[in-house]
PDB file of all heavy atoms in Angstrom:
ATOM      1  N   GLY Q   1     205.144  77.911  32.237  1.00  0.00           N
ATOM      2  CA  GLY Q   1     205.718  77.585  30.894  1.00  0.00           C
ATOM      3  C   GLY Q   1     205.757  76.033  30.668  1.00  0.00           C
ATOM      4  O   GLY Q   1     205.451  75.489  29.637  1.00  0.00           O
ATOM      5  N   MET Q   2     206.305  75.334  31.824  1.00  0.00           N
ATOM      6  CA  MET Q   2     206.462  73.924  31.784  1.00  0.00           C
ATOM      7  C   MET Q   2     205.034  73.285  31.490  1.00  0.00           C
ATOM      8  O   MET Q   2     204.980  72.228  30.899  1.00  0.00           O
ATOM      9  CB  MET Q   2     207.051  73.388  32.940  1.00  0.00           C
ATOM     10  CG  MET Q   2     207.253  71.877  32.989  1.00  0.00           C
ATOM     11  SD  MET Q   2     208.116  71.255  34.449  1.00  0.00           S
ATOM     12  CE  MET Q   2     209.841  71.881  34.073  1.00  0.00           C
ATOM     13  N   LEU Q   3     204.069  73.900  32.078  1.00  0.00           N
ATOM     14  CA  LEU Q   3     202.596  73.424  31.813  1.00  0.00           C
ATOM     15  C   LEU Q   3     201.960  74.074  30.698  1.00  0.00           C
ATOM     16  O   LEU Q   3     200.756  73.855  30.573  1.00  0.00           O
ATOM     17  CB  LEU Q   3     201.811  73.662  33.154  1.00  0.00           C
ATOM     18  CG  LEU Q   3     202.261  72.961  34.417  1.00  0.00           C
ATOM     19  CD1 LEU Q   3     201.627  73.493  35.639  1.00  0.00           C
ATOM     20  CD2 LEU Q   3     202.009  71.480  34.292  1.00  0.00           C
ATOM     21  N   GLY Q   4     202.746  74.657  29.845  1.00  0.00           N
ATOM     22  CA  GLY Q   4     202.136  75.356  28.687  1.00  0.00           C
ATOM     23  C   GLY Q   4     201.396  74.417  27.653  1.00  0.00           C
ATOM     24  O   GLY Q   4     200.391  74.639  27.117  1.00  0.00           O
ATOM     25  N   SER Q   5     202.008  73.154  27.536  1.00  0.00           N
ATOM     26  CA  SER Q   5     201.478  72.127  26.596  1.00  0.00           C
ATOM     27  C   SER Q   5     200.635  71.178  27.410  1.00  0.00           C
ATOM     28  O   SER Q   5     200.529  70.114  26.937  1.00  0.00           O
ATOM     29  CB  SER Q   5     202.669  71.349  25.905  1.00  0.00           C
ATOM     30  OG  SER Q   5     203.473  70.796  26.828  1.00  0.00           O
ATOM     31  N   LEU Q   6     199.995  71.622  28.506  1.00  0.00           N
ATOM     32  CA  LEU Q   6     199.212  70.688  29.263  1.00  0.00           C
ATOM     33  C   LEU Q   6     198.100  70.097  28.529  1.00  0.00           C
ATOM     34  O   LEU Q   6     197.806  68.919  28.671  1.00  0.00           O
ATOM     35  CB  LEU Q   6     198.772  71.526  30.537  1.00  0.00           C
ATOM     36  CG  LEU Q   6     197.832  70.699  31.491  1.00  0.00           C
ATOM     37  CD1 LEU Q   6     198.553  69.544  32.179  1.00  0.00           C
ATOM     38  CD2 LEU Q   6     197.252  71.669  32.509  1.00  0.00           C
ATOM     39  N   PRO Q   7     197.311  70.857  27.681  1.00  0.00           N
ATOM     40  CA  PRO Q   7     196.196  70.128  26.994  1.00  0.00           C
ATOM     41  C   PRO Q   7     196.720  69.035  26.140  1.00  0.00           C
ATOM     42  O   PRO Q   7     196.066  67.864  26.133  1.00  0.00           O
ATOM     43  CB  PRO Q   7     195.747  71.288  26.045  1.00  0.00           C
ATOM     44  CG  PRO Q   7     196.091  72.513  26.774  1.00  0.00           C
ATOM     45  CD  PRO Q   7     197.330  72.320  27.466  1.00  0.00           C
ATOM     46  N   VAL Q   8     197.863  69.059  25.468  1.00  0.00           N
ATOM     47  CA  VAL Q   8     198.290  67.934  24.682  1.00  0.00           C
ATOM     48  C   VAL Q   8     198.824  66.886  25.638  1.00  0.00           C
ATOM     49  O   VAL Q   8     198.596  65.692  25.372  1.00  0.00           O
ATOM     50  CB  VAL Q   8     199.602  68.427  23.799  1.00  0.00           C
ATOM     51  CG1 VAL Q   8     200.243  67.248  23.119  1.00  0.00           C
ATOM     52  CG2 VAL Q   8     199.096  69.375  22.780  1.00  0.00           C
ATOM     53  N   ALA Q   9     199.519  67.235  26.644  1.00  0.00           N
ATOM     54  CA  ALA Q   9     200.039  66.189  27.630  1.00  0.00           C
ATOM     55  C   ALA Q   9     198.845  65.287  28.184  1.00  0.00           C
ATOM     56  O   ALA Q   9     198.901  64.199  28.300  1.00  0.00           O
ATOM     57  CB  ALA Q   9     200.788  66.828  28.824  1.00  0.00           C
ATOM     58  N   LEU Q  10     197.785  66.032  28.600  1.00  0.00           N
ATOM     59  CA  LEU Q  10     196.562  65.382  29.084  1.00  0.00           C
ATOM     60  C   LEU Q  10     195.836  64.466  28.068  1.00  0.00           C
ATOM     61  O   LEU Q  10     195.318  63.402  28.361  1.00  0.00           O
ATOM     62  CB  LEU Q  10     195.741  66.235  29.689  1.00  0.00           C
ATOM     63  CG  LEU Q  10     195.943  66.947  31.099  1.00  0.00           C
ATOM     64  CD1 LEU Q  10     194.979  67.869  31.622  1.00  0.00           C
ATOM     65  CD2 LEU Q  10     196.104  65.748  32.125  1.00  0.00           C
ATOM     66  N   THR Q  11     195.842  65.114  26.794  1.00  0.00           N
ATOM     67  CA  THR Q  11     195.281  64.331  25.838  1.00  0.00           C
ATOM     68  C   THR Q  11     195.913  62.932  25.468  1.00  0.00           C
ATOM     69  O   THR Q  11     195.221  61.916  25.314  1.00  0.00           O
ATOM     70  CB  THR Q  11     195.195  65.152  24.438  1.00  0.00           C
ATOM     71  OG1 THR Q  11     194.540  66.361  24.665  1.00  0.00           O
ATOM     72  CG2 THR Q  11     194.659  64.395  23.325  1.00  0.00           C
ATOM     73  N   ILE Q  12     197.199  62.942  25.293  1.00  0.00           N
ATOM     74  CA  ILE Q  12     197.855  61.689  25.056  1.00  0.00           C
ATOM     75  C   ILE Q  12     197.972  60.840  26.244  1.00  0.00           C
ATOM     76  O   ILE Q  12     198.114  59.617  26.087  1.00  0.00           O
ATOM     77  CB  ILE Q  12     199.363  62.047  24.390  1.00  0.00           C
ATOM     78  CG1 ILE Q  12     200.154  62.679  25.567  1.00  0.00           C
ATOM     79  CG2 ILE Q  12     199.236  62.803  23.271  1.00  0.00           C
ATOM     80  CD1 ILE Q  12     201.669  62.922  25.086  1.00  0.00           C
ATOM     81  N   ASP Q  13     197.903  61.535  27.455  1.00  0.00           N
ATOM     82  CA  ASP Q  13     197.860  60.688  28.699  1.00  0.00           C
ATOM     83  C   ASP Q  13     196.617  59.840  28.709  1.00  0.00           C
ATOM     84  O   ASP Q  13     196.639  58.726  29.267  1.00  0.00           O
ATOM     85  CB  ASP Q  13     197.847  61.655  29.934  1.00  0.00           C
ATOM     86  CG  ASP Q  13     198.261  60.935  31.231  1.00  0.00           C
ATOM     87  OD1 ASP Q  13     198.643  59.779  31.090  1.00  0.00           O
ATOM     88  OD2 ASP Q  13     198.334  61.592  32.253  1.00  0.00           O
ATOM     89  N   GLY Q  14     195.525  60.318  28.061  1.00  0.00           N
ATOM     90  CA  GLY Q  14     194.255  59.547  28.066  1.00  0.00           C
ATOM     91  C   GLY Q  14     194.180  58.379  27.165  1.00  0.00           C
ATOM     92  O   GLY Q  14     193.304  57.538  27.261  1.00  0.00           O
ATOM     93  N   TYR Q  15     195.169  58.244  26.284  1.00  0.00           N
ATOM     94  CA  TYR Q  15     195.240  57.056  25.376  1.00  0.00           C
ATOM     95  C   TYR Q  15     195.481  55.742  26.132  1.00  0.00           C
ATOM     96  O   TYR Q  15     194.804  54.690  25.705  1.00  0.00           O
ATOM     97  CB  TYR Q  15     196.368  57.186  24.335  1.00  0.00           C
ATOM     98  CG  TYR Q  15     195.946  57.918  23.143  1.00  0.00           C
ATOM     99  CD1 TYR Q  15     196.201  59.267  23.074  1.00  0.00           C
ATOM    100  CD2 TYR Q  15     195.401  57.346  22.018  1.00  0.00           C
ATOM    101  CE1 TYR Q  15     195.873  60.073  22.046  1.00  0.00           C
ATOM    102  CE2 TYR Q  15     195.064  58.072  20.960  1.00  0.00           C
ATOM    103  CZ  TYR Q  15     195.311  59.489  20.916  1.00  0.00           C
ATOM    104  OH  TYR Q  15     195.009  60.220  19.833  1.00  0.00           O
ATOM    105  N   GLY Q  16     196.146  55.769  27.279  1.00  0.00           N
ATOM    106  CA  GLY Q  16     196.429  54.510  27.956  1.00  0.00           C
ATOM    107  C   GLY Q  16     195.263  53.793  28.449  1.00  0.00           C
ATOM    108  O   GLY Q  16     194.914  52.680  28.023  1.00  0.00           O
ATOM    109  N   PRO Q  17     194.421  54.334  29.396  1.00  0.00           N
ATOM    110  CA  PRO Q  17     193.361  53.731  30.030  1.00  0.00           C
ATOM    111  C   PRO Q  17     192.282  53.392  28.957  1.00  0.00           C
ATOM    112  O   PRO Q  17     191.527  52.406  28.983  1.00  0.00           O
ATOM    113  CB  PRO Q  17     192.886  54.643  31.041  1.00  0.00           C
ATOM    114  CG  PRO Q  17     193.315  55.951  30.707  1.00  0.00           C
ATOM    115  CD  PRO Q  17     194.683  55.619  30.056  1.00  0.00           C
ATOM    116  N   ILE Q  18     192.082  54.360  27.890  1.00  0.00           N
ATOM    117  CA  ILE Q  18     191.010  54.074  26.969  1.00  0.00           C
ATOM    118  C   ILE Q  18     191.328  52.850  26.099  1.00  0.00           C
ATOM    119  O   ILE Q  18     190.475  51.935  25.926  1.00  0.00           O
ATOM    120  CB  ILE Q  18     190.894  55.296  25.965  1.00  0.00           C
ATOM    121  CG1 ILE Q  18     190.377  56.505  26.816  1.00  0.00           C
ATOM    122  CG2 ILE Q  18     189.936  55.021  24.806  1.00  0.00           C
ATOM    123  CD1 ILE Q  18     190.369  57.769  26.102  1.00  0.00           C
ATOM    124  N   SER Q  19     192.591  52.788  25.535  1.00  0.00           N
ATOM    125  CA  SER Q  19     192.969  51.626  24.797  1.00  0.00           C
ATOM    126  C   SER Q  19     193.060  50.297  25.577  1.00  0.00           C
ATOM    127  O   SER Q  19     192.748  49.270  25.041  1.00  0.00           O
ATOM    128  CB  SER Q  19     194.171  51.918  23.881  1.00  0.00           C
ATOM    129  OG  SER Q  19     195.236  52.232  24.955  1.00  0.00           O
ATOM    130  N   ASP Q  20     193.484  50.491  26.849  1.00  0.00           N
ATOM    131  CA  ASP Q  20     193.551  49.255  27.670  1.00  0.00           C
ATOM    132  C   ASP Q  20     192.223  48.615  27.909  1.00  0.00           C
ATOM    133  O   ASP Q  20     192.045  47.448  27.844  1.00  0.00           O
ATOM    134  CB  ASP Q  20     194.096  49.786  29.043  1.00  0.00           C
ATOM    135  CG  ASP Q  20     194.664  48.531  29.832  1.00  0.00           C
ATOM    136  OD1 ASP Q  20     194.660  47.438  29.310  1.00  0.00           O
ATOM    137  OD2 ASP Q  20     195.031  48.678  31.004  1.00  0.00           O
ATOM    138  N   ASN Q  21     191.174  49.538  28.208  1.00  0.00           N
ATOM    139  CA  ASN Q  21     189.799  48.941  28.345  1.00  0.00           C
ATOM    140  C   ASN Q  21     189.210  48.498  27.068  1.00  0.00           C
ATOM    141  O   ASN Q  21     188.624  47.493  27.124  1.00  0.00           O
ATOM    142  CB  ASN Q  21     188.901  50.158  29.014  1.00  0.00           C
ATOM    143  CG  ASN Q  21     189.202  50.484  30.353  1.00  0.00           C
ATOM    144  OD1 ASN Q  21     189.506  49.482  31.219  1.00  0.00           O
ATOM    145  ND2 ASN Q  21     189.172  51.726  30.747  1.00  0.00           N
ATOM    146  N   ALA Q  22     189.636  49.095  25.985  1.00  0.00           N
ATOM    147  CA  ALA Q  22     189.150  48.614  24.633  1.00  0.00           C
ATOM    148  C   ALA Q  22     189.634  47.252  24.455  1.00  0.00           C
ATOM    149  O   ALA Q  22     188.908  46.359  23.792  1.00  0.00           O
ATOM    150  CB  ALA Q  22     189.525  49.620  23.586  1.00  0.00           C
ATOM    151  N   GLY Q  23     190.917  47.031  24.815  1.00  0.00           N
ATOM    152  CA  GLY Q  23     191.584  45.659  24.607  1.00  0.00           C
ATOM    153  C   GLY Q  23     190.879  44.658  25.475  1.00  0.00           C
ATOM    154  O   GLY Q  23     190.549  43.503  25.016  1.00  0.00           O
ATOM    155  N   GLY Q  24     190.622  44.944  26.664  1.00  0.00           N
ATOM    156  CA  GLY Q  24     189.875  44.028  27.493  1.00  0.00           C
ATOM    157  C   GLY Q  24     188.478  43.694  27.048  1.00  0.00           C
ATOM    158  O   GLY Q  24     188.069  42.517  27.096  1.00  0.00           O
ATOM    159  N   ILE Q  25     187.759  44.776  26.571  1.00  0.00           N
ATOM    160  CA  ILE Q  25     186.416  44.500  25.950  1.00  0.00           C
ATOM    161  C   ILE Q  25     186.494  43.665  24.757  1.00  0.00           C
ATOM    162  O   ILE Q  25     185.688  42.707  24.525  1.00  0.00           O
ATOM    163  CB  ILE Q  25     185.666  45.825  25.642  1.00  0.00           C
ATOM    164  CG1 ILE Q  25     185.521  46.616  26.865  1.00  0.00           C
ATOM    165  CG2 ILE Q  25     184.450  45.673  24.756  1.00  0.00           C
ATOM    166  CD1 ILE Q  25     184.968  48.052  26.698  1.00  0.00           C
ATOM    167  N   ALA Q  26     187.462  43.900  23.878  1.00  0.00           N
ATOM    168  CA  ALA Q  26     187.797  43.036  22.696  1.00  0.00           C
ATOM    169  C   ALA Q  26     187.938  41.575  23.017  1.00  0.00           C
ATOM    170  O   ALA Q  26     187.461  40.620  22.435  1.00  0.00           O
ATOM    171  CB  ALA Q  26     188.821  43.624  21.786  1.00  0.00           C
ATOM    172  N   GLU Q  27     188.718  41.374  24.109  1.00  0.00           N
ATOM    173  CA  GLU Q  27     189.076  40.028  24.430  1.00  0.00           C
ATOM    174  C   GLU Q  27     187.902  39.256  25.126  1.00  0.00           C
ATOM    175  O   GLU Q  27     187.567  38.114  24.723  1.00  0.00           O
ATOM    176  CB  GLU Q  27     190.258  40.011  25.489  1.00  0.00           C
ATOM    177  CG  GLU Q  27     190.714  38.591  25.847  1.00  0.00           C
ATOM    178  CD  GLU Q  27     191.907  38.621  26.781  1.00  0.00           C
ATOM    179  OE1 GLU Q  27     192.309  39.768  27.211  1.00  0.00           O
ATOM    180  OE2 GLU Q  27     192.468  37.523  27.081  1.00  0.00           O
ATOM    181  N   MET Q  28     187.095  39.989  25.948  1.00  0.00           N
ATOM    182  CA  MET Q  28     185.966  39.424  26.523  1.00  0.00           C
ATOM    183  C   MET Q  28     184.864  39.060  25.443  1.00  0.00           C
ATOM    184  O   MET Q  28     183.904  38.080  25.633  1.00  0.00           O
ATOM    185  CB  MET Q  28     185.335  40.321  27.571  1.00  0.00           C
ATOM    186  CG  MET Q  28     186.248  40.282  28.923  1.00  0.00           C
ATOM    187  SD  MET Q  28     185.487  41.356  30.250  1.00  0.00           S
ATOM    188  CE  MET Q  28     185.631  43.038  29.581  1.00  0.00           C
ATOM    189  N   CYS Q  29     184.797  39.909  24.356  1.00  0.00           N
ATOM    190  CA  CYS Q  29     183.813  39.664  23.338  1.00  0.00           C
ATOM    191  C   CYS Q  29     184.251  38.607  22.346  1.00  0.00           C
ATOM    192  O   CYS Q  29     183.328  38.301  21.452  1.00  0.00           O
ATOM    193  CB  CYS Q  29     183.498  41.071  22.652  1.00  0.00           C
ATOM    194  SG  CYS Q  29     182.743  42.210  23.707  1.00  0.00           S
ATOM    195  N   GLY Q  30     185.423  38.158  22.464  1.00  0.00           N
ATOM    196  CA  GLY Q  30     185.834  37.095  21.537  1.00  0.00           C
ATOM    197  C   GLY Q  30     186.127  37.657  20.137  1.00  0.00           C
ATOM    198  O   GLY Q  30     185.947  36.946  19.154  1.00  0.00           O
ATOM    199  N   LEU Q  31     186.471  38.850  20.036  1.00  0.00           N
ATOM    200  CA  LEU Q  31     186.738  39.516  18.686  1.00  0.00           C
ATOM    201  C   LEU Q  31     188.091  38.882  18.123  1.00  0.00           C
ATOM    202  O   LEU Q  31     188.868  38.352  18.892  1.00  0.00           O
ATOM    203  CB  LEU Q  31     186.929  41.002  18.863  1.00  0.00           C
ATOM    204  CG  LEU Q  31     185.588  41.804  19.233  1.00  0.00           C
ATOM    205  CD1 LEU Q  31     185.854  43.210  19.359  1.00  0.00           C
ATOM    206  CD2 LEU Q  31     184.410  41.446  18.283  1.00  0.00           C
ATOM    207  N   PRO Q  32     188.294  39.091  16.770  1.00  0.00           N
ATOM    208  CA  PRO Q  32     189.471  38.457  16.095  1.00  0.00           C
ATOM    209  C   PRO Q  32     190.731  39.055  16.794  1.00  0.00           C
ATOM    210  O   PRO Q  32     190.776  40.213  17.286  1.00  0.00           O
ATOM    211  CB  PRO Q  32     189.305  38.875  14.718  1.00  0.00           C
ATOM    212  CG  PRO Q  32     187.812  39.166  14.596  1.00  0.00           C
ATOM    213  CD  PRO Q  32     187.327  39.665  15.819  1.00  0.00           C
ATOM    214  N   SER Q  33     191.729  38.291  16.575  1.00  0.00           N
ATOM    215  CA  SER Q  33     193.126  38.641  17.171  1.00  0.00           C
ATOM    216  C   SER Q  33     193.715  39.929  16.424  1.00  0.00           C
ATOM    217  O   SER Q  33     194.421  40.712  17.197  1.00  0.00           O
ATOM    218  CB  SER Q  33     194.103  37.562  16.960  1.00  0.00           C
ATOM    219  OG  SER Q  33     194.308  37.251  15.597  1.00  0.00           O
ATOM    220  N   THR Q  34     193.116  40.217  15.281  1.00  0.00           N
ATOM    221  CA  THR Q  34     193.681  41.516  14.651  1.00  0.00           C
ATOM    222  C   THR Q  34     193.213  42.717  15.341  1.00  0.00           C
ATOM    223  O   THR Q  34     193.891  43.799  15.408  1.00  0.00           O
ATOM    224  CB  THR Q  34     193.147  41.637  13.200  1.00  0.00           C
ATOM    225  OG1 THR Q  34     191.701  41.377  13.212  1.00  0.00           O
ATOM    226  CG2 THR Q  34     193.717  40.441  12.347  1.00  0.00           C
ATOM    227  N   ILE Q  35     192.052  42.637  16.061  1.00  0.00           N
ATOM    228  CA  ILE Q  35     191.561  43.744  16.809  1.00  0.00           C
ATOM    229  C   ILE Q  35     192.457  43.976  18.029  1.00  0.00           C
ATOM    230  O   ILE Q  35     192.858  45.033  18.336  1.00  0.00           O
ATOM    231  CB  ILE Q  35     190.098  43.523  17.335  1.00  0.00           C
ATOM    232  CG1 ILE Q  35     189.123  43.304  16.047  1.00  0.00           C
ATOM    233  CG2 ILE Q  35     189.514  44.697  18.108  1.00  0.00           C
ATOM    234  CD1 ILE Q  35     189.109  44.452  15.138  1.00  0.00           C
TER     235      ILE Q  35
END
């Protein structure tokens, strides 16, 4: 039961590394600060 919402937990868990890498790529590419 505690793991019943596992798909949602794993989905939102994936936001961290994805957006972290996206931020690093944006910085290395010299994109605007709004990005």
Side-chain angles (χ1 to χ4, degrees):
M2 183 173 288
L3 293 167
S5 56
L6 179 63
V8 171
L10 283 180
T11 299
I12 63 175
D13 199 4
Y15 274 89
I18 292 172
S19 55
D20 195 12
N21 288 321
I25 293 171
E27 186 174 6
M28 289 186 290
C29 294
L31 295 177
S33 59
T34 54
I35 303 296

